Each structure stands twice: as C-alpha cells, then as structure tokens.
Amino acid sequence: MRPHLGIVSPEFICYTYSAMENTSALTPMMLQYKEIKKEYPKAILFFRLGDFYEMFFEDAKIASKILSIALTSRAGGEGNKIPMCGIPFHAANNYIGKLIKQGFTIAICEQVEDPKLAKKLVKREIIKLITPGTVLEDGLLERKANNYLIGITQTGRTSPPLRGKDTLTPPSPISWARDIHQDSRLRG
C-alpha cells in the first residue's frame, strides 16, 4: 500500500492547464512543453534542459513531494510564475525508481538536436515511456523479487498468444505461459 502523500494518486491524475490556457502568455519553451505534455497527460514529464530533467506545473508539485526536492518557480511569460523542480540527468534512475514505486509513469523528453546548432528552440521528443509494468533497467528492478514481463498477442489459435519472462533470470528464450483461448480467466 502506498503512503498517503497528500497528492492525487497516479490513476486519477487530472492535469488542468488553467495556467497554460492563454498560450500567448507562455514562452516558446513552455509552449513546446505544453505540446509534448498533451501527448502524455498522465505521465510525469522529465523535460531535458541542459544537464537537468525539469518538471513543471502539476508534475513539479507531485514530484517535489515524492522525491523530497525543492519546488521552485520559473518565469513562464508575461510575469507568470510556473511551478518547477529538477533533477540532474545523470541521477535520473534514482528518482525514476521512487516515482515508479509510487505507481507513476514517467515520459523522458530529450533534446534531439545539438543546442549549439539549433536556430531557435532546441527540438525535443519523448524517447522513452517508463511505467511500473515496463521497467527493465537493472537499477530500477527489485533484486530480491521476481519481475515478470508479459506480452499478449493475437496470432490465431495455432500459437500461444500469452508469453512471459522473469526479467532477472539469465537470458533465455521467452516461453509461453498459458494459451489465452483455453483459460477463461484471461479472456475479456
């Protein structure tokens, strides 16, 4: 059971962009942030700025509480202050692990062009989406617990569509766990 942190749980995060609705008041970077965040509204967006991943608005408020880091603010345009917090990019796995354990999804947004060569705003894209169910990085997995990865495909009735693998065991072929067509517990 998760400790109560005085924040909304990840299953019910509802991001309201009231501070961002008037886009004419936002800086170009905050407009870029807003566009990327729209694609992943329920994820905490790690937005790369130089040597840091920054979080803004509600993401910053949530992450600062869970990660025990300072919540500050940044100019967002026309005198608006936007809540923000940040972490060094080289230490991201430590912070991602804490958020994953609380059930949150993290969207990693990287600079995909050299800032020195950018004509205006550095181009950024989501390069990775990390959910509690898709963690594969050694530093984020519990070493003393089994960590299973399950995949479901619809290939017809000739091959088992449900496959599983313990992600901490030595490399081996993925083996099938159960035929979804023969197990009523696995059918929708």
Side-chain angles (χ1 to χ4, degrees):
M1 184 166 179
R2 277 187 247 143
H4 178 66
L5 297 170
I7 57 173
V8 179
S9 70
E11 295 86 5
F12 299 102
I13 292 176
C14 178
Y15 292 97
T16 58
Y17 291 103
S18 58
M20 297 189 339
E21 286 175 14
N22 181 6
T23 57
S24 66
L26 296 176
T27 63
M29 189 185 75
M30 285 293 106
L31 286 171
Q32 182 186 47
Y33 175 89
K34 179 187 174 205
E35 288 305 310
I36 293 169
K37 181 65 181 174
K38 269 197 232 175
E39 296 176 38
Y40 301 92
K42 292 185 179 181
I44 293 179
L45 180 57
F46 277 34
F47 192 77
R48 183 74 177 266
L49 287 173
D51 291 337
F52 289 85
Y53 285 119
E54 303 288 354
M55 289 145 275
F56 301 102
F57 301 99
E58 291 301 311
D59 287 354
K61 292 176 185 177
I62 292 166
S64 68
K65 286 183 183 181
I66 293 172
L67 303 175
S68 298
I69 58 177
L71 178 65
T72 62
S73 63
R74 172 186 191 103
E78 294 186 5
N80 294 321
K81 293 286 187 183
I82 294 171
M84 73 172 275
C85 67
I87 59 166
F89 83 95
H90 59 78
N93 275 354
N94 297 331
Y95 296 102
I96 290 169
K98 290 177 182 180
L99 292 167
I100 291 295
K101 285 179 183 172
Q102 294 294 320
F104 289 93
T105 296
I106 294 90
I108 306 291
C109 181
E110 288 286 351
Q111 298 172 175
V112 293
E113 69 177 333
D114 186 339
K116 294 174 189 163
L117 302 175
K119 293 184 176 162
K120 289 188 178 185
L121 193 59
V122 176
K123 185 176 178 185
R124 291 178 176 85
E125 295 175 356
I126 299 295
I127 59 148
K128 189 179 222 180
L129 194 62
I130 305 169
T131 70
T134 62
V135 175
L136 295 175
E137 290 83 358
D138 284 338
L140 298 175
L141 293 171
E142 294 289 331
R143 280 280 168 220
K144 295 182 180 183
N146 288 23
N147 293 275
Y148 295 102
L149 179 64
I150 304 288
I152 300 174
T153 62
Q154 187 168 356
T155 60
R157 295 186 182 266
T158 58
S159 65
L162 180 61
R163 300 185 181 275
K165 169 110 177 83
D166 181 347
T167 59
L168 290 181
T169 57
S172 62
I174 293 177
S175 59
W176 69 277
R178 184 175 296 274
D179 187 338
I180 199 168
H181 299 293
Q182 296 175 0
D183 191 331
S184 62
R185 295 174 299 164
L186 300 175
R187 281 186 262 147

